Amino acid sequence: MSFPSLVTLDIGGTKINAGRYVNGVIEDSRSFKFCANASLSEIECFIINCIDGFLIQSTTAICIGVPCIVDTQLGVVYDAVNIPAWKEFDLKSALQRRYHLDVYINNDVNCFTAGEHRFGAGQGYDDIIGLCLGTGVGAGFIINNELYQGHNCSAGEIGEICYLTSTIDEYCSGRFFDLHIGASGTDLAVKARSGEAYAIEAYSQFGRHLAHAISHLLLILDPQVIVIGGSVAHSFDLFKEELWLGLADFPYSKVIENLKIIPSSNRDTALLGAAQLYLNQCKQNKKTEVTAQIVNSKEASAESYLTSPQPS
């Protein structure tokens, strides 16, 4: 039995992950370095090249996670902090004109969170937070087994919260290491695992800053589990101890006692999540269509009864 395929993309501030989804599995995926400061046309061409590498005859849709807020119905992306050209861009229409396929677009962290809930560390939990630590910081929410994205698809944009001399984005993403330590997180992770004290301390500082960000989330929501994703999650072992020490000061100890914080173990989670959200939307659209047909049928039957001659 053959299944339709979906091309799925996870667009970040420094790279694009792309793959092909078939029947709950990413069959093939690759990562492409991405210049987020390129022009609008250059970015569009780059995305098209990524998509072209995964299109096959059975492809029925393109599903994309983007690092900004998005109108999920219209497919218009807005105010991408790390992609200056995307102040307001109708990405969905641009891709539909080229491919004549369904195009679904949602926030990248929403896609990650949906993927973890359906396929990853969030399986079996009703309430989870997906927290991505990469070029920036963002959170996604599953509440009672449903994705909550807010009216403008901007729920979870915690990176913009003011903190110390700047924002949480600066202290809880990969930018922290470049701006405040003077080295990349990747290089520091290697040195920390080799026992270099300054690198170990850098990750300890990061853990304390992240505890502050997570405390904000815990005061608003009450999740069973937080799943950590993004490039910095690969170094979770280097900051988890300080993270938990920082959370020890949280005012409600029972919340911390029951909380689980788990790093993601699947590099394709956001690709899976984008595909899953698209399929969920298809199911919902079908339900809405069937319900409308039933209502119209009942209304037509009632009208026919009322207008037909009745026996005296």
Side-chain angles (χ1 to χ4, degrees):
M1 180 180 179
S2 62
F3 294 92
S5 72
L6 310 174
V7 173
T8 178
L9 275 67
D10 175 24
I11 300 176
T14 58
K15 64 181 180 179
I16 293 178
N17 291 332
R20 184 185 306 114
Y21 172 100
V22 179
N23 194 30
V25 176
I26 299 297
E27 285 191 337
D28 180 25
S29 67
R30 276 165 274 164
S31 183
F32 304 89
K33 287 186 179 180
F34 172 51
C35 179
N37 290 315
S39 69
L40 185 62
S41 61
E42 288 171 333
I43 290 171
E44 184 178 343
C45 287
F46 189 82
I47 290 171
I48 286 169
N49 287 336
C50 292
I51 292 170
D52 286 347
F54 294 92
L55 281 174
I56 57 177
Q57 189 172 4
S58 63
T59 300
T60 59
I62 299 165
C63 313
I64 303 176
V66 293
C68 55
I69 66 172
V70 54
D71 185 320
T72 56
Q73 296 301 314
L74 298 178
V76 178
V77 298
Y78 298 96
D79 302 318
V81 174
N82 294 309
I83 306 178
W86 278 7
K87 187 67 178 174
E88 181 177 340
F89 177 53
D90 190 347
L91 178 59
K92 179 176 180 176
S93 292
L95 296 178
Q96 282 183 327
R97 282 194 300 269
R98 180 176 181 85
Y99 294 107
H100 306 287
L101 295 171
D102 277 353
V103 176
Y104 175 83
I105 304 171
N106 206 312
N107 174 266
D108 57 348
V109 187
N110 286 344
C111 293
F112 168 80
T113 306
E116 286 295 334
H117 183 243
R118 176 68 175 81
F119 300 99
Q123 288 184 86
Y125 296 99
D126 301 329
D127 303 305
I128 80 169
I129 292 177
L131 185 60
C132 286
L133 316 174
T135 307
V137 182
F141 309 129
I142 297 288
I143 302 174
N144 292 330
N145 291 306
E146 296 289 339
L147 176 70
Y148 176 78
Q149 59 189 30
H151 183 69
N152 297 292
C153 198
S154 66
E157 295 290 342
I158 64 164
E160 297 304 311
I161 295 174
C162 292
Y163 177 57
L164 297 180
T165 61
S166 183
T167 62
I168 283 176
D169 231 16
E170 183 173 313
Y171 288 90
C172 297
S173 71
R175 295 169 58 206
F176 167 76
F177 302 105
D178 295 310
L179 294 174
H180 294 275
I181 309 299
S184 73
T186 302
D187 290 343
L188 286 166
V190 173
K191 292 177 179 179
R193 293 192 175 99
S194 297
E196 296 196 31
Y198 88 98
I200 293 172
E201 174 57 24
Y203 271 99
S204 293
Q205 289 180 35
F206 181 84
R208 292 192 287 272
H209 294 312
L210 185 59
H212 180 85
I214 287 177
S215 293
H216 275 277
L217 291 169
L218 295 178
L219 288 168
I220 299 167
L221 298 173
D222 187 16
Q224 296 159 287
V225 61
I226 297 175
V227 184
I228 306 287
S231 57
V232 185
H234 300 310
S235 303
F236 182 72
D237 60 304
L238 299 175
F239 62 82
K240 68 177 180 180
E241 183 176 349
E242 283 296 330
L243 169 59
W244 282 112
L245 286 173
L247 290 173
D249 293 331
F250 191 74
Y252 307 113
S253 60
K254 198 67 177 176
V255 171
I256 304 304
E257 180 183 330
N258 291 330
L259 179 67
K260 293 180 174 64
I261 301 178
I262 306 170
S264 173
S265 60
N266 188 338
R267 65 183 293 272
D268 291 331
T269 296
L271 301 182
L272 288 163
Q276 189 62 44
L277 288 175
Y278 166 71
L279 294 172
N280 289 349
Q281 185 186 72
C282 290
K283 289 179 183 177
Q284 185 58 48
N285 290 344
K286 186 65 175 176
K287 283 182 182 178
T288 301
E289 181 183 326
V290 170
T291 300
Q293 289 174 350
I294 292 171
V295 170
N296 290 338
S297 176
K298 287 182 176 179
E299 288 177 348
S301 296
E303 184 177 353
S304 174
Y305 175 79
L306 291 172
T307 57
S308 62
Q310 300 297 312
S312 55

